[in-house]
Amino acid sequence: MALEGSHEEHIIVNGTLLSGIQNISFSQNVQEQVVSYLGNDFGGTTINGPTVVTAAIDKILLNQDFITGLTGLNNISGQFEYGDNLANFSQTVLNGYAVSASIGEIPQISFDLSIYGSISGAETSIKSTALNDNTFETFSQEKLIVTYDKGVTNPIQSFNFSETFNVQPIYGVGQTTPSHISIVGPIVCEASISIEVEDYEFEETFSFLSGSKNRSRDIKLQISGNSSILNTFEISNASLISEDITAAVGDTIIANFSYRGYKKV
């Protein structure tokens, strides 16, 4: 459920207090199966696997955001704080994150934490001893920059970038918490970009059928501040997966296209 109301919400991850939290929600996946007796009579249910709690979090994207540095870690721990309620968590993994940026709006980052270990009540807050990730303050966004081997000369309106990880917990016989958590490659990277059409050329989505065109692109997505680049996201050897153009009477023509690539863990 989402945490709502007037209480303050805080999240400490690996000793760092996260800033700019917009929303937190929790879900729990209980694995159970039906027990049947002879004659197919219903005999109830039994738990046939460990329960995993997932925390979905939305926050403001900061310059050099702390969350993107959690990639590949398999034993994240910390504490949730909501009003006077405290909960410690352990054996947690980042499932992936997604960044959205549009001209004139504050960039956002959304991410999921899967908690394979314990999540239990606590009596003492660790907020006062945590580092603060707002060393990198939210920024005055000047423009979005997209570059790749073909080059982009049209004005960028918005982009989204995401990385998704394949998390595989390993359990021993009778264990309710994993003995080991692996992040198995490749990491899936996706980017969607919207641009104003001036001299845009279609990417020939179906050219792969004849093999006549190299579809690989090295793409760099950047958010620029007043005098420097504040965030950079990259995809190597990305391929075009979709493309469309929208236009309305009196409006600027907008091209939207999406790329997907892969990288090692």
Side-chain angles (χ1 to χ4, degrees):
M1 62 180 178
L3 298 181
E4 299 178 351
S6 59
H7 294 291
E8 289 189 0
E9 304 162 12
H10 301 286
I11 305 175
I12 295 91
V13 175
N14 280 4
T16 296
L17 175 65
L18 302 186
S19 300
I21 299 295
Q22 304 293 295
N23 184 66
I24 311 170
S25 62
F26 295 90
S27 62
Q28 184 171 262
N29 180 24
V30 178
Q31 302 184 57
E32 65 176 16
Q33 65 181 10
V34 175
V35 176
S36 299
Y37 297 130
L38 289 175
N40 294 323
D41 289 336
F42 175 69
T45 61
T46 182
I47 301 298
N48 67 345
T51 297
V52 178
V53 176
T54 299
I57 302 167
D58 303 322
K59 67 184 291 291
I60 294 171
L61 178 70
L62 304 181
N63 182 12
Q64 301 182 29
D65 201 284
F66 173 79
I67 293 302
T68 60
L70 298 177
T71 301
L73 300 184
N74 60 6
N75 194 18
I76 298 169
S77 62
Q79 186 178 81
F80 297 111
E81 181 176 329
Y82 175 61
D84 296 328
N85 301 303
L86 305 172
N88 294 334
F89 60 91
S90 62
Q91 280 191 287
T92 300
V93 178
L94 179 68
N95 281 335
Y97 67 87
V99 170
S100 60
S102 300
I103 291 297
E105 298 181 6
I106 298 175
Q108 305 284 320
I109 182 170
S110 301
F111 59 98
D112 289 346
L113 296 174
S114 284
I115 303 170
Y116 292 92
S118 63
I119 178 168
S120 56
E123 296 182 357
T124 304
S125 171
I126 62 175
K127 183 179 66 173
S128 62
T129 60
L131 300 175
N132 202 317
D133 75 341
N134 67 2
T135 302
F136 305 101
E137 297 179 355
T138 56
F139 41 79
S140 173
Q141 178 182 305
E142 292 296 306
K143 62 179 179 178
L144 306 178
I145 302 170
V146 177
T147 56
Y148 60 105
D149 48 15
K150 181 182 175 181
V152 174
T153 59
N154 298 278
I156 305 300
Q157 296 300 298
S158 66
F159 69 69
N160 297 294
F161 174 83
S162 66
E163 288 191 349
T164 304
F165 315 120
N166 181 13
V167 179
Q168 295 187 359
I170 299 173
Y171 294 88
V173 176
Q175 290 183 332
T176 58
T177 58
S179 57
H180 182 70
I181 302 174
S182 298
I183 300 177
V184 181
I187 296 171
V188 181
C189 306
E190 293 188 335
S192 59
I193 306 165
S194 295
I195 65 174
E196 289 186 7
V197 173
E198 293 175 357
D199 54 1
Y200 179 70
E201 176 185 346
F202 272 96
E203 282 279 354
E204 300 181 29
T205 308
F206 295 103
S207 62
F208 69 93
L209 293 174
S210 64
S212 62
K213 185 176 180 179
N214 179 11
R215 299 173 61 244
S216 296
R217 296 279 183 266
D218 292 333
I219 301 173
K220 181 183 293 185
L221 311 172
Q222 296 177 308
I223 301 173
S224 174
N226 294 323
S227 59
S228 63
I229 299 299
L230 303 172
N231 278 282
T232 299
F233 308 95
E234 298 182 80
I235 307 179
S236 298
N237 298 317
S239 297
L240 182 72
I241 57 175
S242 69
E243 180 179 20
D244 65 77
I245 283 185
T246 58
V249 175
D251 289 342
T252 302
I253 300 175
I254 301 295
N256 306 290
F257 49 103
S258 300
Y259 286 93
R260 180 181 297 131
Y262 304 89
K263 72 176 185 180
K264 295 180 179 179
V265 175

